[in-house]
C-alpha cells in the first residue's frame, strides 16, 4: 500500500522523501497502520478488502496531509493560502478581501482533506459479524 500512497501523493503534486526512516516515511507508515486498523475494526476483517483499497489509499493520504497541516509542516508548492484582494484603493488605504468563509483556499483544501479521509464512508457491505 505504501507505493500506492506515494503514487497518489505524487499525483497531487506532493513529493515525499525517499530516504529510509525519514520523518515522511515514518508518518506514512503510521498513517497506513492507523487507516488499516480503522477499516479492519469497522469491517471485523483481518485484511482490507480489494473493493476498499482505493478508499484506504485516499484515507492514508488524507491522514498524512492533515497531520502535516496541523503540525505546520505542509509545504506544497501548488497550494497558496493567501487571501485574494478583491478591491484595493490607494488614497486613504482601503483593501477588501474576496472572502467567503466557504471559498477561501484553506477552506477548499480542508474540504479536499475531508473528502480524502472518507469520514462518512460506509463499510456495511464488507462488515462481518463477530460473535
Amino acid at each position: 500500500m505504501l507505493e500506492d500512497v506515494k503514487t497518489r501523493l505524487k499525483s497531487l503534486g506532493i513529493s515525499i522523501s525517499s530516504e529510509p526512516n525519514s520523518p515522511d516515511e515514518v508518518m506514512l507508515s503510521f498513517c497506513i497502520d492507523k487507516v488499516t486498523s480503522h477499516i479492519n475494526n469497522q469491517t471485523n476483517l483481518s485484511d482490507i478488502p480489494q473493493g476498499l483499497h482505493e478508499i484506504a489509499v485516499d484515507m492514508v493520504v488524507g491522514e498524512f496531509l492533515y497531520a502535516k497541516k496541523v503540525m505546520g509542516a505542509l509545504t506544497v508548492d501548488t497550494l497558496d493560502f493567501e487571501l485574494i484582494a478583491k478591491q484595493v484603493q490607494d488614497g486613504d488605504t482601503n483593501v477588501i478581501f474576496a472572502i467567503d468563509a466557504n471559498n477561501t483556499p484553506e477552506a477548499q483544501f480542508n474540504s479536499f482533506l475531508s473528502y480524502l479521509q472518507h469520514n462518512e464512508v460506509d463499510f456495511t457491505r464488507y462488515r462481518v459479524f463477530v460473535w
Side-chain angles (χ1 to χ4, degrees):
M1 181 185 296
L2 180 60
E3 291 307 315
D4 292 338
V5 170
K6 286 182 180 181
T7 301
R8 179 75 165 127
L9 285 168
K10 187 175 181 179
S11 74
L12 297 173
I14 300 161
S15 59
I16 300 298
S17 174
S18 60
E19 297 176 23
N21 296 324
S22 71
D24 286 344
E25 288 279 334
V26 172
M27 190 179 296
L28 276 177
S29 294
F30 176 79
C31 290
I32 288 170
D33 291 343
K34 180 179 178 182
V35 167
T36 301
S37 295
H38 175 72
I39 291 174
N40 291 346
N41 289 336
Q42 292 295 314
T43 60
N44 293 321
L45 296 171
S46 58
D47 294 321
I48 295 176
Q50 183 58 37
L52 293 177
H53 180 75
E54 288 78 16
I55 289 174
V57 169
D58 271 358
M59 289 175 75
V60 170
V61 169
E63 287 291 326
F64 177 77
L65 293 177
Y66 178 75
K68 296 273 282 190
K69 180 180 182 274
V70 169
M71 294 184 334
L74 183 63
T75 54
V76 180
D77 297 334
T78 58
L79 296 178
D80 182 13
F81 294 136
E82 295 296 319
L83 297 175
I84 300 169
K86 178 175 151 183
Q87 175 184 357
V88 176
Q89 183 178 356
D90 193 10
D92 220 18
T93 313
N94 178 18
V95 176
I96 298 175
F97 291 104
I99 298 176
D100 179 10
N102 296 326
N103 289 332
T104 64
E106 187 170 10
Q108 291 173 346
F109 181 71
N110 289 337
S111 294
F112 181 62
L113 285 180
S114 180
Y115 162 76
L116 286 174
Q117 291 174 321
H118 293 275
N119 292 330
E120 302 299 322
V121 76
D122 188 7
F123 298 112
T124 305
R125 178 177 182 200
Y126 299 98
R127 188 166 289 146
V128 174
F129 291 107
V130 177
W131 299 97

